[in-house]
């Protein structure tokens, strides 16, 4: 059984149909990288998974359970599905450790010391144990993003969503975040990632989907999709991306 499945998912903002019948599925342990031009529906697709955006039609399933129905426990869903945003979303008044312990204490009801132990383990996992007592203002963008990843991992999610996690970072800080994501992929974490980091897509993705106009135009293994795309629109997008960034990242 697939872990995540989209079945003819549609979503509109007013008269604009952003998702136009998205259908695909991922197995446990898959790393799906979603690429496409701005406005193609990539972020909306991710936000529909954890109900930050509601679908207008179709169904999303997590481990065989419909999660877009009115009776879905959204809080439980967001525990099962971790999300890392492009703009960090850390609490400025809490340390790195405090940001990670918050969900453990407030959502999972961990005792304070147990929450602290788990949070430290997750900060260690992303290479930031030495910054546990630092506040977000004292951290680089890459460090903030890694705290965000640790915070999501602390909830022991079944699925991780990454919405352009490196787009707000200076170029020299991107590598540390991508290294953490590669480690998670190697550990078998199921990941759905929106990113323009083609080097990451080539090396870590099991499948790449090209979205355009709210539809999955093409989907396949990265080597095939990058080297010999079957759809002309896919090839044109990859050529533009390559020229924009001066080659593979």
């Amino acid at each position: 059984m697939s872990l995540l499945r989209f079945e003819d998912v549609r979503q509109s903002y007013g008269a604009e149909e952003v998702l136009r019948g998205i259908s695909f599925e991922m197995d446990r342990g898959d790393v799906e990288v979603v690429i496409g031009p701005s406005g193609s529906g990539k972020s909306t697709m991710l936000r529909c998974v954890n109900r930050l955006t509601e679908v207008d039609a179709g169904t999303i399933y997590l481990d065989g359970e419909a999660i877009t129905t009115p009776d879905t426990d959204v809080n439980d869903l967001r525990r099962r599905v971790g999300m890392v945003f492009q703009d960090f979303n850390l609490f400025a008044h809490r340390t790195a450790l405090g940001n990670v312990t918050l969900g453990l204490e407030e959502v999972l009801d961990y005792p304070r010391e147990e929450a602290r132990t788990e949070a430290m383990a997750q900060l260690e996992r992303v290479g930031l144990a030495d910054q546990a007592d630092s506040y977000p203002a004292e951290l680089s963008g890459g460090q903030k993003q890694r705290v965000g990843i640790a915070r999501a991992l602390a909830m022991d999610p079944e699925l991780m969503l990454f919405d352009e996690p490196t787009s707000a970072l200076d170029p020299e800080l991107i590598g540390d975040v991508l290294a953490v994501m590669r480690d998670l992929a190697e550990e078998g974490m199921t990941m759905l990632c929106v990113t323009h980091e083609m080097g990451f897509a080539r090396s870590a993705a099991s499948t790449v989907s090209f979205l355009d106009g709210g539809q999955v135009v093409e989907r396949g293994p990265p080597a095939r999709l990058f080297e010999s795309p079957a759809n002309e629109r896919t090839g044109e997008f990859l050529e533009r991306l390559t020229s924009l960034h001066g080659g593979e990242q």
Side-chain angles (χ1 to χ4, degrees):
M1 180 188 297
S2 57
L3 178 65
L4 180 69
R5 178 159 58 98
F6 281 69
E7 195 172 89
D8 196 26
V9 171
R10 297 176 180 270
Q11 199 279 333
S12 299
Y13 291 119
E16 180 186 4
E17 192 173 24
V18 181
L19 300 180
R20 300 166 57 197
I22 298 289
S23 295
F24 73 91
E25 57 187 75
M26 298 171 56
D27 290 334
R28 199 174 295 274
D30 282 354
V31 177
E32 178 99 15
V33 170
V34 182
I35 62 174
S38 297
S40 59
K42 306 183 301 295
S43 293
T44 298
M45 188 179 79
L46 259 63
R47 293 171 67 88
C48 286
V49 176
N50 69 352
R51 301 285 293 273
L52 288 173
T53 297
E54 297 294 344
V55 305
D56 293 324
T59 308
I60 301 174
Y61 297 89
L62 182 65
D63 202 16
E65 173 190 348
I67 57 174
T68 45
T69 58
D71 60 348
T72 297
D73 184 335
V74 176
N75 289 329
D76 180 63
L77 171 65
R78 291 176 181 164
R79 185 198 63 75
R80 297 170 64 193
V81 179
M83 186 160 186
V84 177
F85 301 87
Q86 56 185 291
D87 53 1
F88 319 133
N89 284 2
L90 299 181
F91 291 103
H93 65 287
R94 296 181 72 99
T95 63
L97 182 65
N99 269 278
V100 181
T101 59
L102 184 61
L104 292 167
E105 293 178 353
E106 300 295 326
V107 179
L108 300 185
D109 293 324
Y110 275 42
R112 177 171 294 184
E113 281 308 309
E114 191 175 340
R116 180 183 174 86
T117 299
E118 176 60 25
M120 283 300 298
Q122 297 304 333
L123 287 172
E124 179 74 36
R125 191 175 180 184
V126 301
L128 284 179
D130 61 336
Q131 298 294 332
D133 295 327
S134 298
Y135 287 88
E138 302 170 313
L139 300 173
S140 71
Q143 290 172 327
K144 291 176 189 175
Q145 193 58 288
R146 285 187 282 155
V147 172
I149 294 173
R151 178 178 58 186
L153 291 173
M155 305 300 285
D156 193 24
E158 298 173 54
L159 170 69
M160 284 284 287
L161 308 175
F162 291 87
D163 187 8
E164 301 197 30
T166 61
S167 64
L169 303 182
D170 293 332
E172 65 269 21
L173 301 177
I174 290 173
D176 290 341
V177 173
L178 293 180
V180 170
M181 293 172 65
R182 284 190 178 94
D183 287 345
L184 292 176
E186 290 175 4
E187 292 170 13
M189 174 64 72
T190 311
M191 299 160 61
L192 179 58
C193 313
V194 171
T195 183
H196 287 306
E197 300 294 335
M198 295 300 101
F200 172 79
R202 284 177 181 271
S203 64
S206 47
T207 310
V208 176
S209 288
F210 171 59
L211 251 66
D212 195 17
Q215 295 179 307
V216 179
V217 174
E218 186 168 358
R219 184 170 183 257
R224 201 273 300 158
L225 192 132
F226 287 125
E227 299 305 328
S228 55
N231 190 285
E232 185 178 347
R233 288 157 68 191
T234 310
E236 290 172 353
F237 173 78
L238 291 172
E239 283 183 18
R240 287 200 305 271
L241 201 62
T242 299
S243 63
L244 191 66
H245 294 288
E248 181 183 338
Q249 300 177 50

